[in-house]
Amino acid sequence: MLLADVVAASRAASATRSRLAKTAAVAEALRAAGPDDAATVAAYLSGVLPQRRIGVSWRGLATLPDAAAEPTATVAEVDRALTTIGAVSGSGSAAARATAVTELFSRLTSDEQDYLRALVTGQVRQGALDGVMLAAVAAAADVPEAEVRRAVMLAGHTGPVAAAALAGGREALAQIGLEVGRPLRPMLAASAPDVDAAWEQAAVEGQGVVVDGKLDGIRLQAHRDGDDVRLFTRSLDDITDRLPEVVEAVLTLPAQRLVVDGEAIALDGAGRPRPFQETASRTMSSTGVDELRATVPVTPYFFDLLHVDGEDLLDLPATERFARLADLVPEPWLVPRTTASSATQAAEFFHQLVADGHEGVVVKSPTAPYAAGRRGAGWVKVKPRHTLDLVVLAVEWGSGRREGWLSNIHLGARDPGTGDFVMLGKTFKGMTDEVLAWQTARFLELETSRKGHVVHVRPEQVVEIAFDGIQTSSRYPGGMALRFARVIRYRDDKTAAEADTVDTVRSLRG
DNA sequence: GGGACAGCATC
DNA sequence: GTCGGAA
DNA sequence: TTCCGACGATGCTGTCCC
């Protein structure tokens, strides 16, 4: 198949807002691709590179060579070229990569160049990603979407499932099972503003809910096959070599083959959670692991059991999986957990866990099976919310659907000593289209200067901001930054002189 | 040897 | 990661 | 309900470059 055919399908998907029409356009391309190209085409049309990382992004594609006149490049050729580019390493690799990029892009037409650049930089915007692709695979192979979804969960990636479905239909999909050693997509949680709302979503008549502590670490899926242990992140990266103490822990469990799901987190000497940044630093570094594990050890906390000694547990009700987990994993490696027969009980557990320094809770339906890739009502997370009244210091012009609107706002806290404002971060979240329109007009009124896409404004507009916590920052002058900041509302009843101060923010850091 | 930068990952 | 819009 | 696309802060690695 030609890359131009993929570009055309992407165009067709972009051209309509109807999800069904997008699905049809993608499905047609899948059918046309044939078994050899299906996996690559499925990846491309869901905005993903099969190679995942190739060491080239926006900067490396800023200037492209002259385009070809006619489309000749095949999907397979492009895929091979990208694999080659991704494999280059060592001294001189930047130049070698640039040469290979130029060579590849010079064979593409202008439309193909634009598309491949967007694909490589993760900027494909066709209103169709993995969700539409699932439906498209089902349509193209004439198989039930639920079976595609399940196969993708178990295989971890859509491309190979698309290829299997097109080549062998339902029988081929049924061959895709849970394999110990191969990561599967982790189940995700929906979110709710408070425990009552979470209870409403997850509670089962007569059984209440299971409430888990939400630990502020990184997601961890552990596979054991005899003496071989593999550890995977939420995005299915293999991080086995980074966490030897977790490998050792898994090897002590009384089963030869198992798959467990949990969270890895660094604790301090008193057993309280360290700031997320410290867990992140430890779990993401792959050099000097031996010294690191001595100073910042990581503890696994498991909350689900997916497979044990030949038996898949995914479809069992949560309470049964959890009981089997508790039989297998010693208490120190189990996530804090309780059952609650009322929202009030669940709220008590929430407050206790937050007091212990944890991020919140995940409220779980006792009957829900393990279902990846969807944020259904089976699991619902709840975190405490903090708010501050801050002052807008500057605004950035938006892009995409926010083109022409002032979007991303720079947030500052008052410094009572100097009368200045100290920037604590930015946010573009929480604005309706109506608010976007209002703030565009408002900040153009307050404009003092412009630099690039940043509009600086007189620091007069107060905005109420919600956030999850304070992080230490080397980027911002106060040494602090807000985590997950979002707009609640603009406050016209407060002047900048009444905004919250850096001292208030500092006291929240704890 | 060490800082700057780009890319990619975590949340 | 959060959030709003849209199917 | 579900999916998509607006974009956030931070830390590590590999490479370049002085």
Side-chain angles (χ1 to χ4, degrees), chain A residues 18-29 31 132 136 139:
Chain A
S18 155
R19 206 118 99 204
L20 291 172
K22 288 177 191 292
T23 303
V26 173
E28 191 185 326
R31 268 189 229 104
V132 167

Side-chain angles (χ1 to χ4, degrees), chain A residues 226-277:
Chain A
D227 293 335
D228 187 24
V229 172
R230 299 275 112 194
L231 306 178
F232 302 98
T233 65
R234 172 176 158 167
S235 67
L236 315 187
D237 259 359
D238 188 327
I239 55 164
T240 308
D241 295 340
R242 301 184 198 173
L243 302 176
E245 65 270 52
V246 175
V247 171
E248 290 163 13
V250 172
L251 283 171
T252 69
L253 301 180
Q256 283 302 299
R257 292 166 54 80
L258 57 81
V259 179
V260 281
D261 191 7
E263 192 88 0
I265 184 171
L267 304 176
D268 67 17
R272 286 177 64 95
R274 294 184 191 248
F276 172 73
Q277 285 159 300

Side-chain angles (χ1 to χ4, degrees), chain A residues 213-221 246 260-265 276 279 298-303 333 335 359:
Chain A
K214 187 174 194 310
L215 310 190
D216 196 5
I218 71 157
R219 191 73 177 265
L220 179 74
Q221 191 180 104
V246 175
V260 281
D261 191 7
E263 192 88 0
I265 184 171
F276 172 73
T279 290
V298 161
T299 307
Y301 286 93
F302 296 112
F303 49 70
W333 295 331
V335 85
E359 201 185 4

Side-chain angles (χ1 to χ4, degrees), chain A residues 153-485:
Chain A
M153 164 173 90
L154 295 169
H157 306 279
T158 308
V161 172
L166 285 161
R170 293 183 72 176
E171 295 76 25
L173 284 185
Q175 295 296 310
I176 299 174
L178 187 157
E179 281 180 24
V180 177
R182 181 179 70 183
L184 53 149
R185 290 199 181 177
M187 184 166 175
L188 305 177
S191 62
D194 52 46
V195 172
D196 282 355
W199 168 274
E200 285 303 317
Q201 291 181 55
V204 171
E205 185 66 36
Q207 295 187 61
V209 294
V210 177
V211 190
D212 284 1
K214 187 174 194 310
L215 310 190
D216 196 5
I218 71 157
R219 191 73 177 265
L220 179 74
Q221 191 180 104
H223 292 236
R224 174 181 178 186
D225 185 357
D227 293 335
D228 187 24
V229 172
R230 299 275 112 194
L231 306 178
F232 302 98
T233 65
R234 172 176 158 167
S235 67
L236 315 187
D237 259 359
D238 188 327
I239 55 164
T240 308
D241 295 340
R242 301 184 198 173
L243 302 176
E245 65 270 52
V246 175
V247 171
E248 290 163 13
V250 172
L251 283 171
T252 69
L253 301 180
Q256 283 302 299
R257 292 166 54 80
L258 57 81
V259 179
V260 281
D261 191 7
E263 192 88 0
I265 184 171
L267 304 176
D268 67 17
R272 286 177 64 95
R274 294 184 191 248
F276 172 73
Q277 285 159 300
E278 295 182 29
T279 290
S281 161
R282 167 62 213 277
T283 55
M284 289 170 203
S285 78
S286 45
T287 60
V289 167
D290 288 342
E291 297 85 61
L292 280 174
R293 75 173 281 191
T295 52
V296 188
V298 161
T299 307
Y301 286 93
F302 296 112
F303 49 70
D304 218 317
L305 178 63
L306 311 186
H307 178 99
V308 57
D309 288 332
E311 185 187 1
D312 291 342
L313 306 183
L314 298 167
D315 296 325
L316 293 180
T319 46
E320 291 186 35
R321 299 199 310 276
F322 297 169
R324 299 284 293 274
L325 176 77
D327 288 342
L328 202 68
V329 175
E331 196 273 335
W333 295 331
L334 289 172
V335 85
R337 167 172 284 168
T338 191
T339 55
S341 53
S342 72
T344 308
Q345 275 183 8
E348 279 172 24
F349 194 64
F350 171 78
H351 289 122
Q352 178 196 321
L353 277 155
V354 170
D356 289 343
H358 293 301
E359 201 185 4
V361 294
V362 183
V363 178
K364 297 183 174 177
S365 157
T367 56
Y370 193 92
R374 270 202 164 135
R375 295 178 188 268
W379 293 2
V380 185
K381 61 187 164 190
V382 184
K383 299 191 268 188
R385 193 190 75 167
H386 306 92
T387 64
L388 286 168
D389 292 325
L390 300 174
V391 175
V392 178
L393 307 177
V395 202
E396 298 175 16
W397 288 107
S399 65
R401 79 177 296 281
R402 292 198 174 186
E403 181 97 48
W405 277 341
L406 287 175
S407 174
N408 203 358
I409 60 177
H410 296 199
L411 305 168
R414 194 155 54 86
D415 182 341
T418 65
D420 270 355
F421 295 91
V422 179
M423 187 167 170
L424 293 172
K426 312 182 209 177
T427 185
F428 57 92
K429 295 182 201 121
M431 298 141 183
T432 61
D433 286 358
E434 189 186 352
V435 168
L436 226 39
W438 178 86
Q439 75 177 25
T440 300
R442 170 67 171 151
F443 294 126
L444 287 175
E445 281 173 16
L446 294 178
E447 173 173 358
T448 57
S449 66
R450 244 176 236 224
K451 255 179 245 148
H453 65 300
V454 180
V455 176
H456 294 270
V457 300
R458 292 202 303 278
E460 295 178 5
Q461 180 63 52
V462 177
V463 60
E464 184 179 358
I465 296 294
F467 60 100
D468 275 21
I470 311 286
Q471 315 173 72
T472 65
S473 171
S474 55
R475 168 191 303 254
Y476 291 111
M480 305 178 288
L482 304 181
R483 192 173 183 201
F484 309 142

